[in-house]
Amino acid sequence: MTAITLLDGGMGQELIQRSGQPASPLWSTQVVIDRPGLVAEVHRDYADAGATVATTNTYAIHRDRLRGGAGNHYAADGATIPDMQDQFNALHHAALAEADAVRDRCRLAGSIGPLGASYRADLHPDLDTAIPLYAEVAGLLAPRVDLLIFETIASLDAARACLTAGRQTDKPVWLAFTVDDEDGTRLRSGEPLAEAARIASEADAALANCSAPEAMPAALGALSGSGVPLGAYANAFTMITKAFLDGGSTAASLQARRDMSPAIYAEHAMTWIDAGATIVGGCCETGPAHIAEIARRLRAAGHEIT
């Protein structure tokens, strides 16, 4: 049948569940500090489930998140974030060390999340500001990973910045776009995903991520014009509404769907393959059980997991 690359699932929400700690402004980064070894445990569980790519726990390690002060966008309810910019390099290296636990079984994908905030195109900096910030992270990750994956890209300018930064390294660059939960042909910014596909034509893969599973077939259709390998990995959040995107809410306020069991999620994943995806996996609120069920369904359908 088809050779399918099986990504892992969500990291941040999985870490919150396993640590028993509420979401913090530093999100999954805090776990690297407080619970060394827990990230490696999650990586091993995903590899055991059948994932062939391990995504590093570096999504949220950006200088804007580590910048201290109550004015930081990530500080909810007037809380003050301690300034941790001096740990920027150390946190990346710690996350990479955790991923080394599965290097013998998986390719490592260096995760680079969005500047500003997830889903919020309005908070993303301009190109001249964004490119060197993304390039700094890419330069730290590239020597120790097999590819770079820029995740949850919400706008065309963000895509341009990510691609430009990634191409400053010698590693393959995957661009993963977050789309409107109700209209998978549009980015969270409202811009056409087909325009993003033109940018992604210069990348090594084009994916849709951290959006509703139901939006992925339309997203894959829009991305097909890129001419590069396609992929999808959805979240299992309740809908990310327009009110959420208008501000005043953080990821901590999102809730898990109750109708997204491993079996149901895997059924969605199989429809993405029917729509042309050769890279599939999970995002927020999916776990090892979801990846294991996708692996089972792929094998049952005669696909090769690579």
Side-chain angles (χ1 to χ4, degrees), residues 16-275:
I16 289 169
Q17 293 173 22
R18 295 190 187 205
S19 68
Q21 299 297 316
S24 77
L26 293 178
W27 199 36
S28 54
T29 307
Q30 191 68 44
V31 176
V32 176
I33 301 167
D34 297 340
R35 294 281 302 275
L38 187 59
V39 172
E41 175 187 299
V42 176
H43 284 313
R44 283 191 291 267
D45 286 350
Y46 278 126
D48 290 345
T52 56
V53 174
T55 308
T56 62
N57 182 39
T58 49
Y59 177 97
I61 309 178
H62 279 305
R63 291 193 181 278
D64 59 356
R65 288 187 186 243
L66 300 178
R67 187 173 56 248
N72 189 314
H73 171 74
Y74 297 97
D77 301 323
T80 298
I81 296 177
D83 195 300
M84 296 176 60
Q85 292 185 80
D86 61 339
Q87 297 186 49
F88 179 79
N89 286 21
L91 288 168
H92 278 97
H93 290 306
L96 287 163
E98 301 263 6
D100 283 340
V102 294
R103 181 178 290 279
D104 60 334
R105 292 190 281 168
C106 300
R107 285 180 288 163
L108 300 190
S111 170
I112 304 177
L115 295 165
S118 296
Y119 322 119
R120 295 287 303 278
D122 58 312
L123 296 177
H124 192 274
D126 61 64
L127 277 174
D128 289 342
T129 302
I131 291 171
L133 291 172
Y134 283 127
E136 181 182 24
V137 177
L140 283 173
L141 297 178
R144 294 177 59 182
V145 300
D146 299 294
L147 62 99
L148 297 171
I149 182 165
F150 291 86
E151 301 191 273
T152 322
I153 298 169
S155 71
L156 296 178
D157 269 355
R160 295 182 184 103
C162 292
L163 179 64
T164 301
R167 285 298 182 225
Q168 294 181 29
T169 75
D170 62 352
K171 293 298 165 71
V173 174
W174 293 7
L175 300 182
F177 301 93
T178 181
V179 300
D180 188 302
D181 284 349
E182 297 176 287
D183 182 358
T185 69
R186 294 194 171 275
L187 293 163
R188 298 281 185 193
S189 64
E191 297 166 304
L193 187 59
E195 293 294 325
R198 293 188 177 92
I199 298 169
S201 67
E202 298 181 34
D204 297 284
L207 306 92
N209 86 299
C210 214
S211 310
E214 294 85 352
M216 294 305 183
L220 288 164
L223 288 173
S224 64
S226 65
V228 299
L230 303 179
Y233 55 114
N235 64 39
F237 282 141
T238 54
M239 185 180 295
I240 298 173
T241 65
K242 303 300 187 294
F244 180 95
L245 296 177
D246 286 340
S249 298
T250 66
S253 66
L254 296 173
Q255 301 297 316
R257 288 173 63 165
R258 297 186 178 183
D259 62 342
M260 203 51 61
S261 66
I264 293 173
Y265 187 86
E267 184 67 26
H268 281 289
M270 298 306 289
T271 69
W272 309 335
I273 292 168
D274 291 340

